[in-house]
Amino acid sequence: MKILEGQSNLVSNHEVYEHILEQQQKNRSKNRRVPPNQFTLTKDLLTYLRTKPGPLANQDKTHQYSTEALYELFKKLREANLQSDLSKGEMLMIINLRPTNVAVLSTVVEDMLERFTEDEQQKIIDIITETLGFDEPTEAAEGEENDEDAAPSIENS
Amino acid sequence: MFITTKIADLVQIAPEDFSKESFVAIEDNINAKYANKVVQKVGLFVCLWDVTWTSEGQIGHGSGLVNVNVEFEMVVFRPFKHEVILARITHQTEEGIYLGMDFFNDIFVPAAELPDNSEFDTTEKVWVWKEEGQELYFDNNEMVRFRVIGEEWHDQTPTGPVEVDQTANQLLPPYKITGSMKEGGLGCCLWWE
């Protein structure tokens, strides 16, 4: 074994996710088994990527992430004429975490308060939610509450 | 969080795999060797990303193995320094909080890297962040955001036999990430919704 390049590229969670799903589909159609170590790891990795509040949690249903959506995100951020450019690492984290409020965005963007005005911060958030979508946190919570409410009523009846 | 790494390696296809298409046999061979393994200073290998080049297959003397030189790219889990990622709290001690990511569990946030005014509740065995009169609990199994601040590598290559009293040092994880949750926006995701 010889490592030619330790880090040839950065890949986003979404790319890895799509790659694994594609492989699985291909293997399933040929009725083929993968080595057990690969099976365990990819299964656990998919579980992780599908965990809320990760942005890929509802990807199978909503398909919010796509090449077009990411292209749109980059285009809109470029058109927004921000006073400072977002670095490659910051963009990668934005795509992987999809921050939907200023507090989370501040962790991803270094020295955010000095680099961007409040309007610009909000603008970045708006562009992210517009192009990559967002999961309603309240919706899920309400759904659970309703389920809890529903359970005793069945018992009563 | 993920990178691709370019590797050159000799792949040996055993005769029982001749029924597979050669590309599939190479793919399986590489995945069986690398997937879910840590290579020092590179990261945790996830799966094959792409095969970029292969040589002709050659059969050596004395065995039926087909030898192929392959250059390929692997998907590797290797978060960069200062990257913010999501993880789940697995357990907590007075020294800090242990996090896991389903496929990778050697993440540790030391007590000094927790938000200021955090205290360890010895009865409940959880950390509590006391902020503006509020008590925010780091509950187990809660999803948190943390920043990667350091990594440690421990080579697990077997060493020769040692004196009995020296074997006490336990096996350290091959790749360990140290995290921080000190800034605003980090810590339990629910706090920042």
Short mmCIF file of all heavy atoms in Angstrom, two decimals, chain A residues 82-122:
data_model
loop_
_atom_site.label_atom_id
_atom_site.label_comp_id
_atom_site.label_asym_id
_atom_site.label_seq_id
_atom_site.Cartn_x
_atom_site.Cartn_y
_atom_site.Cartn_z
N LEU A 82 -21.48 39.85 -0.73
CA LEU A 82 -21.09 39.98 0.67
C LEU A 82 -19.75 40.68 0.74
O LEU A 82 -18.92 40.55 -0.16
CB LEU A 82 -21.00 38.59 1.30
CG LEU A 82 -22.29 37.77 1.21
CD1 LEU A 82 -22.04 36.35 1.62
CD2 LEU A 82 -23.37 38.38 2.08
N GLN A 83 -19.54 41.42 1.83
CA GLN A 83 -18.30 42.21 1.90
C GLN A 83 -17.07 41.33 2.11
O GLN A 83 -15.95 41.77 1.91
CB GLN A 83 -18.41 43.26 3.01
CG GLN A 83 -18.78 42.71 4.36
CD GLN A 83 -18.73 43.78 5.43
OE1 GLN A 83 -17.79 44.52 5.52
NE2 GLN A 83 -19.77 43.84 6.25
N SER A 84 -17.28 40.08 2.52
CA SER A 84 -16.16 39.18 2.69
C SER A 84 -16.56 37.83 2.10
O SER A 84 -17.73 37.45 2.18
CB SER A 84 -15.86 39.06 4.19
OG SER A 84 -15.04 37.95 4.43
N ASP A 85 -15.62 37.14 1.48
CA ASP A 85 -15.96 35.86 0.86
C ASP A 85 -15.94 34.74 1.89
O ASP A 85 -15.14 34.75 2.81
CB ASP A 85 -14.96 35.53 -0.25
CG ASP A 85 -15.21 36.38 -1.49
OD1 ASP A 85 -16.39 36.73 -1.71
OD2 ASP A 85 -14.24 36.69 -2.19
N LEU A 86 -16.81 33.77 1.69
CA LEU A 86 -16.81 32.59 2.56
C LEU A 86 -15.73 31.64 2.04
O LEU A 86 -15.62 31.43 0.83
CB LEU A 86 -18.17 31.91 2.52
CG LEU A 86 -19.31 32.67 3.18
CD1 LEU A 86 -20.65 32.16 2.71
CD2 LEU A 86 -19.22 32.57 4.69
N SER A 87 -14.96 31.06 2.96
CA SER A 87 -13.89 30.17 2.53
C SER A 87 -14.46 28.80 2.15
O SER A 87 -15.64 28.51 2.40
CB SER A 87 -12.85 30.02 3.62
OG SER A 87 -13.39 29.23 4.66
N LYS A 88 -13.59 27.97 1.57
CA LYS A 88 -14.01 26.64 1.13
C LYS A 88 -14.52 25.81 2.32
O LYS A 88 -15.56 25.17 2.23
CB LYS A 88 -12.80 25.97 0.50
CG LYS A 88 -13.08 24.77 -0.35
CD LYS A 88 -11.80 24.42 -1.10
CE LYS A 88 -11.73 22.97 -1.44
NZ LYS A 88 -10.40 22.61 -1.97
N GLY A 89 -13.75 25.84 3.42
CA GLY A 89 -14.15 25.07 4.60
C GLY A 89 -15.48 25.55 5.16
O GLY A 89 -16.31 24.75 5.59
N GLU A 90 -15.68 26.87 5.15
CA GLU A 90 -16.94 27.41 5.66
C GLU A 90 -18.11 26.99 4.80
O GLU A 90 -19.18 26.63 5.29
CB GLU A 90 -16.84 28.95 5.72
CG GLU A 90 -15.96 29.44 6.86
CD GLU A 90 -15.55 30.89 6.73
OE1 GLU A 90 -15.83 31.51 5.67
OE2 GLU A 90 -14.95 31.40 7.67
N MET A 91 -17.89 27.00 3.48
CA MET A 91 -18.96 26.56 2.57
C MET A 91 -19.29 25.09 2.82
O MET A 91 -20.45 24.70 2.83
CB MET A 91 -18.52 26.74 1.11
CG MET A 91 -18.66 28.14 0.57
SD MET A 91 -20.25 28.89 0.88
CE MET A 91 -21.32 27.85 -0.08
N LEU A 92 -18.24 24.29 3.01
CA LEU A 92 -18.45 22.86 3.23
C LEU A 92 -19.29 22.63 4.50
O LEU A 92 -20.22 21.83 4.50
CB LEU A 92 -17.11 22.15 3.36
CG LEU A 92 -17.17 20.63 3.44
CD1 LEU A 92 -17.57 20.05 2.10
CD2 LEU A 92 -15.87 20.04 3.88
N MET A 93 -18.98 23.40 5.55
CA MET A 93 -19.73 23.23 6.79
C MET A 93 -21.17 23.72 6.62
O MET A 93 -22.10 23.14 7.18
CB MET A 93 -19.04 23.98 7.93
CG MET A 93 -17.80 23.27 8.42
SD MET A 93 -17.22 23.93 9.97
CE MET A 93 -16.19 25.26 9.43
N ILE A 94 -21.34 24.79 5.84
CA ILE A 94 -22.70 25.28 5.60
C ILE A 94 -23.52 24.19 4.92
O ILE A 94 -24.66 23.91 5.28
CB ILE A 94 -22.67 26.57 4.73
CG1 ILE A 94 -22.20 27.74 5.60
CG2 ILE A 94 -24.05 26.85 4.14
CD1 ILE A 94 -22.11 29.06 4.90
N ILE A 95 -22.90 23.52 3.94
CA ILE A 95 -23.62 22.46 3.23
C ILE A 95 -23.88 21.26 4.15
O ILE A 95 -24.95 20.68 4.14
CB ILE A 95 -22.82 22.03 1.98
CG1 ILE A 95 -22.77 23.18 0.99
CG2 ILE A 95 -23.44 20.80 1.33
CD1 ILE A 95 -21.76 23.00 -0.12
N ASN A 96 -22.90 20.93 4.99
CA ASN A 96 -23.05 19.76 5.86
C ASN A 96 -24.01 20.00 7.02
O ASN A 96 -24.64 19.06 7.50
CB ASN A 96 -21.69 19.35 6.43
CG ASN A 96 -20.85 18.60 5.41
OD1 ASN A 96 -21.36 18.20 4.37
ND2 ASN A 96 -19.59 18.43 5.71
N LEU A 97 -24.08 21.23 7.51
CA LEU A 97 -24.88 21.48 8.71
C LEU A 97 -26.17 22.24 8.42
O LEU A 97 -27.11 22.20 9.20
CB LEU A 97 -24.07 22.27 9.74
CG LEU A 97 -22.89 21.56 10.38
CD1 LEU A 97 -22.06 22.56 11.17
CD2 LEU A 97 -23.37 20.45 11.30
N ARG A 98 -26.19 22.99 7.34
CA ARG A 98 -27.33 23.81 6.97
C ARG A 98 -27.80 24.68 8.13
O ARG A 98 -28.89 24.47 8.67
CB ARG A 98 -28.47 22.93 6.47
CG ARG A 98 -29.55 23.72 5.78
CD ARG A 98 -30.59 22.86 5.18
NE ARG A 98 -31.28 22.06 6.17
CZ ARG A 98 -32.20 21.15 5.88
NH1 ARG A 98 -32.50 20.90 4.64
NH2 ARG A 98 -32.79 20.46 6.83
N PRO A 99 -27.00 25.66 8.57
CA PRO A 99 -27.41 26.50 9.69
C PRO A 99 -28.66 27.32 9.33
O PRO A 99 -28.73 27.88 8.25
CB PRO A 99 -26.21 27.42 9.93
CG PRO A 99 -25.36 27.31 8.74
CD PRO A 99 -25.69 26.04 8.05
N THR A 100 -29.64 27.32 10.24
CA THR A 100 -30.87 28.06 9.94
C THR A 100 -31.07 29.22 10.90
O THR A 100 -32.12 29.84 10.91
CB THR A 100 -32.09 27.13 10.01
OG1 THR A 100 -31.99 26.37 11.21
CG2 THR A 100 -32.14 26.20 8.82
N ASN A 101 -30.10 29.49 11.76
CA ASN A 101 -30.18 30.71 12.55
C ASN A 101 -28.79 31.27 12.78
O ASN A 101 -27.78 30.60 12.53
CB ASN A 101 -30.94 30.48 13.87
CG ASN A 101 -30.27 29.43 14.72
OD1 ASN A 101 -29.05 29.45 14.90
ND2 ASN A 101 -31.05 28.51 15.24
N VAL A 102 -28.75 32.52 13.27
CA VAL A 102 -27.48 33.24 13.36
C VAL A 102 -26.52 32.57 14.35
O VAL A 102 -25.31 32.52 14.12
CB VAL A 102 -27.74 34.71 13.74
CG1 VAL A 102 -26.43 35.46 13.90
CG2 VAL A 102 -28.58 35.38 12.69
N ALA A 103 -27.05 32.02 15.45
CA ALA A 103 -26.20 31.40 16.46
C ALA A 103 -25.40 30.25 15.86
O ALA A 103 -24.20 30.10 16.11
CB ALA A 103 -27.04 30.91 17.63
N VAL A 104 -26.06 29.43 15.07
CA VAL A 104 -25.38 28.28 14.48
C VAL A 104 -24.44 28.74 13.37
O VAL A 104 -23.33 28.24 13.22
CB VAL A 104 -26.40 27.25 13.95
CG1 VAL A 104 -25.68 26.07 13.34
CG2 VAL A 104 -27.31 26.79 15.06
N LEU A 105 -24.88 29.74 12.61
CA LEU A 105 -24.03 30.26 11.54
C LEU A 105 -22.72 30.81 12.11
O LEU A 105 -21.66 30.65 11.51
CB LEU A 105 -24.76 31.35 10.76
CG LEU A 105 -24.07 31.84 9.48
CD1 LEU A 105 -24.10 30.77 8.40
CD2 LEU A 105 -24.70 33.11 8.96
N SER A 106 -22.79 31.42 13.29
CA SER A 106 -21.59 32.01 13.89
C SER A 106 -20.54 30.96 14.22
O SER A 106 -19.35 31.25 14.24
CB SER A 106 -21.95 32.81 15.14
OG SER A 106 -22.26 31.92 16.18
N THR A 107 -20.96 29.72 14.48
CA THR A 107 -19.98 28.68 14.78
C THR A 107 -19.24 28.25 13.51
O THR A 107 -18.11 27.82 13.55
CB THR A 107 -20.64 27.42 15.38
OG1 THR A 107 -21.51 26.86 14.40
CG2 THR A 107 -21.42 27.75 16.62
N VAL A 108 -19.95 28.37 12.39
CA VAL A 108 -19.42 27.88 11.13
C VAL A 108 -18.53 28.92 10.46
O VAL A 108 -17.54 28.60 9.82
CB VAL A 108 -20.61 27.50 10.21
CG1 VAL A 108 -20.13 27.10 8.85
CG2 VAL A 108 -21.41 26.38 10.82
N VAL A 109 -18.91 30.18 10.60
CA VAL A 109 -18.18 31.26 9.95
C VAL A 109 -17.27 31.93 10.98
O VAL A 109 -17.73 32.41 12.00
CB VAL A 109 -19.15 32.29 9.34
CG1 VAL A 109 -18.38 33.41 8.67
CG2 VAL A 109 -20.09 31.62 8.37
N GLU A 110 -15.99 31.95 10.67
CA GLU A 110 -15.02 32.52 11.60
C GLU A 110 -15.16 34.04 11.67
O GLU A 110 -15.37 34.69 10.64
CB GLU A 110 -13.62 32.15 11.11
CG GLU A 110 -12.63 31.93 12.22
CD GLU A 110 -11.28 31.54 11.66
OE1 GLU A 110 -11.24 30.79 10.67
OE2 GLU A 110 -10.28 31.98 12.22
N ASP A 111 -15.04 34.60 12.85
CA ASP A 111 -15.15 36.06 13.07
C ASP A 111 -16.35 36.65 12.34
O ASP A 111 -16.25 37.68 11.67
CB ASP A 111 -13.89 36.81 12.58
CG ASP A 111 -12.65 36.28 13.25
OD1 ASP A 111 -12.75 35.89 14.43
OD2 ASP A 111 -11.59 36.25 12.60
N MET A 112 -17.50 36.01 12.46
CA MET A 112 -18.65 36.43 11.67
C MET A 112 -19.06 37.87 11.95
O MET A 112 -19.38 38.62 11.04
CB MET A 112 -19.82 35.48 11.92
CG MET A 112 -21.02 35.77 11.05
SD MET A 112 -22.34 34.63 11.36
CE MET A 112 -22.99 35.28 12.88
N LEU A 113 -19.02 38.26 13.24
CA LEU A 113 -19.51 39.59 13.60
C LEU A 113 -18.66 40.69 12.95
O LEU A 113 -19.17 41.76 12.64
CB LEU A 113 -19.52 39.75 15.12
CG LEU A 113 -20.45 38.77 15.83
CD1 LEU A 113 -20.36 38.94 17.34
CD2 LEU A 113 -21.89 38.94 15.37
N GLU A 114 -17.38 40.42 12.78
CA GLU A 114 -16.53 41.44 12.17
C GLU A 114 -16.62 41.42 10.65
O GLU A 114 -16.46 42.45 10.00
CB GLU A 114 -15.06 41.22 12.58
CG GLU A 114 -14.80 41.57 14.03
CD GLU A 114 -13.79 40.64 14.67
OE1 GLU A 114 -12.76 40.34 14.03
OE2 GLU A 114 -14.05 40.18 15.81
N ARG A 115 -16.87 40.26 10.11
CA ARG A 115 -16.84 40.16 8.65
C ARG A 115 -18.16 40.52 7.98
O ARG A 115 -18.18 40.95 6.84
CB ARG A 115 -16.43 38.75 8.24
CG ARG A 115 -14.93 38.53 8.33
CD ARG A 115 -14.58 37.07 8.23
NE ARG A 115 -15.01 36.49 6.95
CZ ARG A 115 -15.06 35.19 6.73
NH1 ARG A 115 -14.73 34.36 7.67
NH2 ARG A 115 -15.46 34.73 5.56
N PHE A 116 -19.26 40.26 8.68
CA PHE A 116 -20.55 40.49 8.03
C PHE A 116 -21.46 41.35 8.91
O PHE A 116 -21.44 41.23 10.13
CB PHE A 116 -21.26 39.16 7.75
CG PHE A 116 -20.48 38.25 6.86
CD1 PHE A 116 -19.84 37.14 7.38
CD2 PHE A 116 -20.39 38.51 5.50
CE1 PHE A 116 -19.11 36.30 6.54
CE2 PHE A 116 -19.67 37.67 4.67
CZ PHE A 116 -19.03 36.57 5.19
N THR A 117 -22.24 42.21 8.28
CA THR A 117 -23.21 42.99 9.03
C THR A 117 -24.40 42.09 9.37
O THR A 117 -24.55 41.01 8.81
CB THR A 117 -23.72 44.17 8.19
OG1 THR A 117 -24.37 43.64 7.04
CG2 THR A 117 -22.58 45.08 7.77
N GLU A 118 -25.26 42.60 10.26
CA GLU A 118 -26.42 41.78 10.67
C GLU A 118 -27.32 41.45 9.48
O GLU A 118 -27.85 40.36 9.38
CB GLU A 118 -27.22 42.52 11.75
CG GLU A 118 -26.71 42.20 13.13
CD GLU A 118 -27.48 42.92 14.21
OE1 GLU A 118 -28.71 43.05 14.05
OE2 GLU A 118 -26.85 43.35 15.18
N ASP A 119 -27.48 42.43 8.59
CA ASP A 119 -28.32 42.21 7.41
C ASP A 119 -27.75 41.09 6.55
O ASP A 119 -28.48 40.24 6.05
CB ASP A 119 -28.42 43.49 6.57
CG ASP A 119 -29.26 44.53 7.28
OD1 ASP A 119 -29.95 44.15 8.25
OD2 ASP A 119 -29.21 45.71 6.86
N GLU A 120 -26.42 41.13 6.42
CA GLU A 120 -25.79 40.11 5.59
C GLU A 120 -25.92 38.73 6.20
O GLU A 120 -26.14 37.74 5.50
CB GLU A 120 -24.31 40.46 5.38
CG GLU A 120 -24.10 41.55 4.35
CD GLU A 120 -22.64 41.86 4.14
OE1 GLU A 120 -21.91 41.96 5.13
OE2 GLU A 120 -22.23 41.99 2.99
N GLN A 121 -25.77 38.66 7.53
CA GLN A 121 -25.92 37.36 8.21
C GLN A 121 -27.30 36.78 7.93
O GLN A 121 -27.45 35.61 7.61
CB GLN A 121 -25.73 37.53 9.72
CG GLN A 121 -24.32 37.92 10.11
CD GLN A 121 -24.23 38.41 11.55
OE1 GLN A 121 -25.13 38.15 12.34
NE2 GLN A 121 -23.17 39.11 11.87
N GLN A 122 -28.31 37.66 8.05
CA GLN A 122 -29.68 37.21 7.80
C GLN A 122 -29.84 36.78 6.35
O GLN A 122 -30.51 35.80 6.04
CB GLN A 122 -30.66 38.33 8.16
CG GLN A 122 -32.10 37.87 8.27
CD GLN A 122 -32.27 36.64 9.17
OE1 GLN A 122 -31.72 36.58 10.27
NE2 GLN A 122 -32.98 35.63 8.68
#
